[in-house]
Amino acid sequence: MSISIEQSAFAGLDTQKRLVNQVFKGELNAQGRFGFRGELAIKFATAVADEARPPELVAQQVISSAEPGAQKISFLSCYLLSFGYLDALVTVLAEYLEPSGKYFIYCNNIDFSKRYHLEYKGIPFYILPLDEATVYNELLELFGLERNDLKKLATAGKINRIAESALQYNAVFPEISYADCLAGMGPVRDPGENRPV
């Protein structure tokens, strides 16, 4: 029996139209694990008349999953242009995250030689740096997954393999407080700079 998004922990976010630019949204395995890959709208732009505007703020490169019948998202990874957006992300996801979940936040403006573990509003996060790479490739490296093994799998299979690895991941990173990480972050890079017009 296949699972629809309405039966998954992503139902509320889907109703709020926060799951945007989807690469994948559906079942990951025969057991009914559900997954989403795409972008998550954190802050919507003010709508003018009937004009649909792109969100003002998004979590990019989202790869996430929820277990069958669960009300919470058990695994989520994404890229934030600034660590400073974590508070807004947690506010949006407040009812979807759980203390036992595995959440990997890649940020552009934290020290590139550092990785942290951070508990914020009762939720644990792995905070990692990211510049030119992708969340997908960084997760493969973090979990020791072989790219060639995953090449043979469909998109659902790839996300499922990453989700399984994430749920078993228990490496220990140095603890940091939200305030200290916020104080140590660098300037927010303009994503449009150095791009050909």
Side-chain angles (χ1 to χ4, degrees):
M1 189 184 84
S2 69
I3 302 288
S4 68
I5 193 163
E6 291 79 22
Q7 298 165 288
S8 79
F10 293 93
L13 293 171
D14 194 49
T15 302
Q16 295 167 29
K17 298 187 168 31
R18 290 193 184 275
L19 305 179
V20 295
N21 296 331
Q22 68 189 49
V23 175
F24 181 88
K25 184 167 72 173
E27 272 186 303
L28 297 181
N29 63 12
Q31 287 71 47
R33 178 181 284 148
F34 199 91
F36 170 75
R37 185 174 178 187
E39 294 185 342
L40 176 77
I42 299 173
K43 184 182 179 189
F44 290 110
T46 308
V48 180
D50 295 334
E51 184 187 6
R53 293 182 162 191
E56 272 182 31
L57 188 59
V58 294
Q60 300 172 324
Q61 302 183 44
V62 173
I63 303 173
S64 55
S65 69
E67 295 308 290
Q71 300 301 305
K72 307 284 186 180
I73 294 168
S74 54
F75 156 63
L76 181 125
S77 58
C78 69
Y79 170 69
L80 297 177
L81 197 57
S82 171
F83 171 78
Y85 300 151
L86 180 68
D87 178 67
L89 178 68
V90 174
T91 300
V92 164
L93 293 176
E95 63 185 282
Y96 304 100
L97 304 180
E98 58 186 347
S100 60
K102 302 286 179 154
Y103 308 117
F104 302 81
I105 311 296
Y106 286 87
C107 306
N108 181 264
N109 64 340
I110 63 165
D111 187 325
F112 277 85
S113 64
K114 301 277 180 21
R115 294 173 168 185
Y116 302 112
H117 186 265
L118 165 75
E119 192 166 300
Y120 187 57
K121 297 188 176 177
I123 303 297
F125 294 96
Y126 292 101
I127 307 292
L128 306 103
L130 185 76
D131 189 15
E132 297 301 322
T134 64
V135 168
Y136 179 83
N137 286 340
E138 290 291 300
L139 289 174
L140 296 193
E141 191 174 316
L142 190 67
F143 301 150
L145 292 170
E146 286 295 328
R147 193 183 309 266
N148 285 338
D149 292 345
L150 269 71
K151 269 185 183 165
K152 306 168 191 133
L153 302 173
T155 302
K158 290 174 182 166
I159 298 172
N160 191 55
R161 186 74 61 83
I162 289 171
E164 282 177 351
S165 299
L167 296 175
Q168 293 165 12
Y169 190 76
N170 56 9
V172 178
F173 292 178
E175 292 286 338
I176 192 170
S177 70
Y178 176 76
D180 285 349
C181 200
L182 204 59
M185 70 181 190
V188 181
R189 182 173 65 83
D190 175 3
E193 71 182 356
N194 302 326
R195 297 276 165 90
V197 177

Short mmCIF file of all heavy atoms in Angstrom, two decimals, residues 89-123:
data_model
loop_
_atom_site.label_atom_id
_atom_site.label_comp_id
_atom_site.label_asym_id
_atom_site.label_seq_id
_atom_site.Cartn_x
_atom_site.Cartn_y
_atom_site.Cartn_z
N LEU A 89 14.24 28.98 10.51
CA LEU A 89 13.98 27.61 10.06
C LEU A 89 13.34 26.79 11.18
O LEU A 89 12.35 26.08 10.96
CB LEU A 89 15.28 26.96 9.61
CG LEU A 89 15.18 25.50 9.15
CD1 LEU A 89 14.40 25.39 7.84
CD2 LEU A 89 16.57 24.87 9.00
N VAL A 90 13.89 26.90 12.38
CA VAL A 90 13.37 26.14 13.52
C VAL A 90 11.95 26.59 13.86
O VAL A 90 11.10 25.77 14.22
CB VAL A 90 14.31 26.27 14.74
CG1 VAL A 90 13.70 25.60 15.97
CG2 VAL A 90 15.66 25.62 14.44
N THR A 91 11.68 27.88 13.71
CA THR A 91 10.33 28.39 13.97
C THR A 91 9.33 27.75 13.02
O THR A 91 8.26 27.30 13.44
CB THR A 91 10.31 29.93 13.83
OG1 THR A 91 11.23 30.49 14.78
CG2 THR A 91 8.92 30.49 14.09
N VAL A 92 9.69 27.68 11.73
CA VAL A 92 8.81 27.09 10.73
C VAL A 92 8.62 25.59 10.97
O VAL A 92 7.52 25.05 10.81
CB VAL A 92 9.39 27.33 9.30
CG1 VAL A 92 8.73 26.42 8.27
CG2 VAL A 92 9.22 28.79 8.92
N LEU A 93 9.70 24.92 11.40
CA LEU A 93 9.66 23.46 11.56
C LEU A 93 9.36 23.01 12.98
O LEU A 93 9.43 21.81 13.27
CB LEU A 93 11.01 22.87 11.13
CG LEU A 93 11.36 22.99 9.64
CD1 LEU A 93 12.76 22.45 9.37
CD2 LEU A 93 10.34 22.26 8.77
N ALA A 94 9.02 23.94 13.86
CA ALA A 94 8.87 23.63 15.29
C ALA A 94 8.08 22.36 15.57
O ALA A 94 8.49 21.52 16.37
CB ALA A 94 8.24 24.83 16.02
N GLU A 95 6.96 22.20 14.92
CA GLU A 95 6.11 21.04 15.24
C GLU A 95 6.50 19.78 14.46
O GLU A 95 5.90 18.73 14.64
CB GLU A 95 4.63 21.37 14.98
CG GLU A 95 4.30 21.69 13.53
CD GLU A 95 2.85 22.12 13.36
OE1 GLU A 95 1.98 21.23 13.36
OE2 GLU A 95 2.62 23.34 13.21
N TYR A 96 7.54 19.90 13.62
CA TYR A 96 7.92 18.75 12.79
C TYR A 96 9.24 18.11 13.21
O TYR A 96 9.62 17.08 12.67
CB TYR A 96 8.02 19.18 11.32
CG TYR A 96 6.75 19.81 10.80
CD1 TYR A 96 6.63 21.20 10.72
CD2 TYR A 96 5.66 19.03 10.45
CE1 TYR A 96 5.45 21.79 10.27
CE2 TYR A 96 4.48 19.61 10.00
CZ TYR A 96 4.39 20.99 9.92
OH TYR A 96 3.22 21.57 9.48
N LEU A 97 9.96 18.75 14.12
CA LEU A 97 11.25 18.21 14.56
C LEU A 97 11.12 17.56 15.92
O LEU A 97 10.25 17.90 16.70
CB LEU A 97 12.29 19.35 14.62
CG LEU A 97 12.50 20.15 13.33
CD1 LEU A 97 13.56 21.23 13.53
CD2 LEU A 97 12.90 19.24 12.17
N GLU A 98 12.03 16.61 16.20
CA GLU A 98 11.98 15.91 17.48
C GLU A 98 13.38 15.76 18.06
O GLU A 98 14.37 15.72 17.31
CB GLU A 98 11.33 14.54 17.30
CG GLU A 98 12.02 13.65 16.27
CD GLU A 98 11.26 12.36 16.02
OE1 GLU A 98 10.35 12.04 16.79
OE2 GLU A 98 11.60 11.66 15.04
N PRO A 99 13.50 15.66 19.38
CA PRO A 99 14.82 15.56 20.01
C PRO A 99 15.63 14.35 19.56
O PRO A 99 16.86 14.37 19.63
CB PRO A 99 14.48 15.48 21.51
CG PRO A 99 13.15 16.14 21.64
CD PRO A 99 12.42 15.81 20.37
N SER A 100 14.96 13.31 19.07
CA SER A 100 15.69 12.11 18.62
C SER A 100 16.02 12.15 17.13
O SER A 100 16.62 11.22 16.60
CB SER A 100 14.85 10.86 18.92
OG SER A 100 13.62 10.92 18.22
N GLY A 101 15.65 13.24 16.45
CA GLY A 101 15.89 13.35 15.02
C GLY A 101 17.34 13.66 14.68
O GLY A 101 18.14 14.03 15.55
N LYS A 102 17.68 13.48 13.41
CA LYS A 102 19.04 13.78 12.92
C LYS A 102 18.93 14.92 11.91
O LYS A 102 18.35 14.75 10.83
CB LYS A 102 19.64 12.55 12.24
CG LYS A 102 19.73 11.33 13.16
CD LYS A 102 20.84 11.47 14.19
CE LYS A 102 20.87 10.25 15.08
NZ LYS A 102 22.15 9.99 15.67
N TYR A 103 19.49 16.07 12.28
CA TYR A 103 19.33 17.27 11.47
C TYR A 103 20.70 17.89 11.16
O TYR A 103 21.44 18.21 12.08
CB TYR A 103 18.42 18.27 12.20
CG TYR A 103 17.11 17.63 12.63
CD1 TYR A 103 16.76 17.52 13.98
CD2 TYR A 103 16.23 17.08 11.69
CE1 TYR A 103 15.58 16.90 14.37
CE2 TYR A 103 15.06 16.46 12.07
CZ TYR A 103 14.73 16.38 13.42
OH TYR A 103 13.57 15.75 13.79
N PHE A 104 20.98 18.03 9.87
CA PHE A 104 22.29 18.48 9.40
C PHE A 104 22.12 19.80 8.66
O PHE A 104 21.49 19.85 7.60
CB PHE A 104 22.91 17.44 8.45
CG PHE A 104 23.07 16.08 9.09
CD1 PHE A 104 21.99 15.20 9.18
CD2 PHE A 104 24.30 15.68 9.61
CE1 PHE A 104 22.13 13.95 9.77
CE2 PHE A 104 24.45 14.43 10.20
CZ PHE A 104 23.37 13.57 10.29
N ILE A 105 22.67 20.87 9.23
CA ILE A 105 22.53 22.19 8.65
C ILE A 105 23.88 22.65 8.12
O ILE A 105 24.83 22.84 8.89
CB ILE A 105 22.00 23.21 9.69
CG1 ILE A 105 20.76 22.67 10.43
CG2 ILE A 105 21.71 24.56 9.02
CD1 ILE A 105 19.54 22.43 9.57
N TYR A 106 23.97 22.81 6.81
CA TYR A 106 25.19 23.30 6.18
C TYR A 106 25.06 24.81 5.98
O TYR A 106 24.04 25.27 5.46
CB TYR A 106 25.41 22.60 4.83
CG TYR A 106 25.87 21.17 4.99
CD1 TYR A 106 24.95 20.13 5.13
CD2 TYR A 106 27.22 20.86 5.00
CE1 TYR A 106 25.38 18.81 5.29
CE2 TYR A 106 27.66 19.54 5.15
CZ TYR A 106 26.74 18.53 5.30
OH TYR A 106 27.16 17.23 5.46
N CYS A 107 26.07 25.55 6.40
CA CYS A 107 26.02 27.01 6.33
C CYS A 107 27.23 27.55 5.59
O CYS A 107 28.33 27.01 5.70
CB CYS A 107 25.99 27.63 7.72
SG CYS A 107 24.68 26.97 8.77
N ASN A 108 27.02 28.66 4.89
CA ASN A 108 28.09 29.26 4.12
C ASN A 108 29.02 30.12 4.97
O ASN A 108 30.18 30.29 4.65
CB ASN A 108 27.51 30.11 2.98
CG ASN A 108 28.59 30.74 2.14
OD1 ASN A 108 28.95 31.88 2.34
ND2 ASN A 108 29.13 29.98 1.20
N ASN A 109 28.51 30.68 6.07
CA ASN A 109 29.28 31.69 6.78
C ASN A 109 29.77 31.27 8.17
O ASN A 109 29.81 32.07 9.09
CB ASN A 109 28.49 33.00 6.88
CG ASN A 109 27.22 32.84 7.70
OD1 ASN A 109 26.72 31.74 7.90
ND2 ASN A 109 26.70 33.96 8.19
N ILE A 110 30.10 29.98 8.30
CA ILE A 110 30.78 29.56 9.54
C ILE A 110 32.20 29.11 9.18
O ILE A 110 32.50 28.86 8.01
CB ILE A 110 30.02 28.43 10.29
CG1 ILE A 110 29.95 27.14 9.46
CG2 ILE A 110 28.63 28.88 10.70
CD1 ILE A 110 29.55 25.93 10.28
N ASP A 111 33.06 29.04 10.17
CA ASP A 111 34.47 28.68 9.97
C ASP A 111 34.58 27.36 9.21
O ASP A 111 34.01 26.35 9.63
CB ASP A 111 35.13 28.57 11.35
CG ASP A 111 36.64 28.38 11.26
OD1 ASP A 111 37.10 27.71 10.31
OD2 ASP A 111 37.35 28.88 12.15
N PHE A 112 35.32 27.38 8.09
CA PHE A 112 35.38 26.19 7.24
C PHE A 112 36.20 25.05 7.83
O PHE A 112 36.21 23.96 7.29
CB PHE A 112 35.87 26.57 5.84
CG PHE A 112 34.76 27.07 5.00
CD1 PHE A 112 34.38 28.40 5.06
CD2 PHE A 112 34.03 26.21 4.21
CE1 PHE A 112 33.30 28.87 4.32
CE2 PHE A 112 32.95 26.67 3.46
CZ PHE A 112 32.59 27.99 3.52
N SER A 113 36.88 25.32 8.92
CA SER A 113 37.64 24.24 9.55
C SER A 113 36.88 23.62 10.72
O SER A 113 37.36 22.74 11.41
CB SER A 113 38.99 24.78 10.05
OG SER A 113 38.77 25.74 11.08
N LYS A 114 35.65 24.09 10.95
CA LYS A 114 34.91 23.68 12.15
C LYS A 114 33.62 22.92 11.80
O LYS A 114 33.01 23.13 10.76
CB LYS A 114 34.55 24.91 12.98
CG LYS A 114 35.74 25.75 13.45
CD LYS A 114 36.35 25.16 14.68
CE LYS A 114 37.54 25.87 15.25
NZ LYS A 114 37.80 27.23 14.94
N ARG A 115 33.26 22.04 12.72
CA ARG A 115 31.96 21.37 12.70
C ARG A 115 31.46 21.40 14.13
O ARG A 115 32.24 21.19 15.06
CB ARG A 115 32.09 19.91 12.26
CG ARG A 115 32.53 19.74 10.83
CD ARG A 115 32.79 18.26 10.57
NE ARG A 115 32.94 17.97 9.16
CZ ARG A 115 33.08 16.76 8.67
NH1 ARG A 115 33.08 15.71 9.47
NH2 ARG A 115 33.22 16.57 7.37
N TYR A 116 30.18 21.62 14.29
CA TYR A 116 29.64 21.75 15.64
C TYR A 116 28.42 20.87 15.86
O TYR A 116 27.73 20.49 14.91
CB TYR A 116 29.20 23.20 15.91
CG TYR A 116 30.27 24.24 15.76
CD1 TYR A 116 30.21 25.18 14.72
CD2 TYR A 116 31.34 24.31 16.65
CE1 TYR A 116 31.18 26.15 14.57
CE2 TYR A 116 32.31 25.29 16.51
CZ TYR A 116 32.22 26.20 15.47
OH TYR A 116 33.19 27.16 15.34
N HIS A 117 28.17 20.62 17.13
CA HIS A 117 26.88 20.06 17.53
C HIS A 117 26.21 21.13 18.37
O HIS A 117 26.83 21.73 19.25
CB HIS A 117 27.06 18.77 18.34
CG HIS A 117 25.77 18.09 18.64
ND1 HIS A 117 25.07 18.28 19.81
CD2 HIS A 117 25.01 17.24 17.90
CE1 HIS A 117 23.96 17.57 19.78
NE2 HIS A 117 23.90 16.92 18.64
N LEU A 118 24.96 21.37 18.09
CA LEU A 118 24.26 22.48 18.72
C LEU A 118 22.85 22.04 19.10
O LEU A 118 22.15 21.44 18.29
CB LEU A 118 24.20 23.64 17.72
CG LEU A 118 23.25 24.80 17.96
CD1 LEU A 118 23.79 25.69 19.06
CD2 LEU A 118 23.07 25.61 16.69
N GLU A 119 22.45 22.33 20.32
CA GLU A 119 21.06 22.08 20.69
C GLU A 119 20.36 23.42 20.75
O GLU A 119 20.82 24.35 21.41
CB GLU A 119 20.96 21.36 22.04
CG GLU A 119 19.56 20.86 22.29
CD GLU A 119 19.48 19.85 23.43
OE1 GLU A 119 20.13 18.80 23.36
OE2 GLU A 119 18.77 20.16 24.40
N TYR A 120 19.28 23.53 20.01
CA TYR A 120 18.55 24.80 19.96
C TYR A 120 17.06 24.54 20.11
O TYR A 120 16.48 23.74 19.37
CB TYR A 120 18.84 25.50 18.62
CG TYR A 120 18.27 26.90 18.54
CD1 TYR A 120 18.60 27.87 19.48
CD2 TYR A 120 17.39 27.25 17.52
CE1 TYR A 120 18.08 29.14 19.41
CE2 TYR A 120 16.86 28.52 17.44
CZ TYR A 120 17.21 29.47 18.38
OH TYR A 120 16.69 30.74 18.32
N LYS A 121 16.48 25.15 21.11
CA LYS A 121 15.05 24.96 21.43
C LYS A 121 14.71 23.48 21.59
O LYS A 121 13.68 23.00 21.13
CB LYS A 121 14.18 25.63 20.36
CG LYS A 121 14.40 27.15 20.31
CD LYS A 121 13.42 27.86 19.41
CE LYS A 121 13.63 29.37 19.47
NZ LYS A 121 12.76 30.12 18.56
N GLY A 122 15.65 22.75 22.23
CA GLY A 122 15.42 21.34 22.53
C GLY A 122 15.68 20.39 21.38
O GLY A 122 15.48 19.18 21.51
N ILE A 123 16.15 20.92 20.24
CA ILE A 123 16.38 20.09 19.05
C ILE A 123 17.88 20.06 18.75
O ILE A 123 18.53 21.10 18.72
CB ILE A 123 15.61 20.64 17.83
CG1 ILE A 123 14.10 20.73 18.13
CG2 ILE A 123 15.86 19.80 16.60
CD1 ILE A 123 13.42 19.41 18.41
#
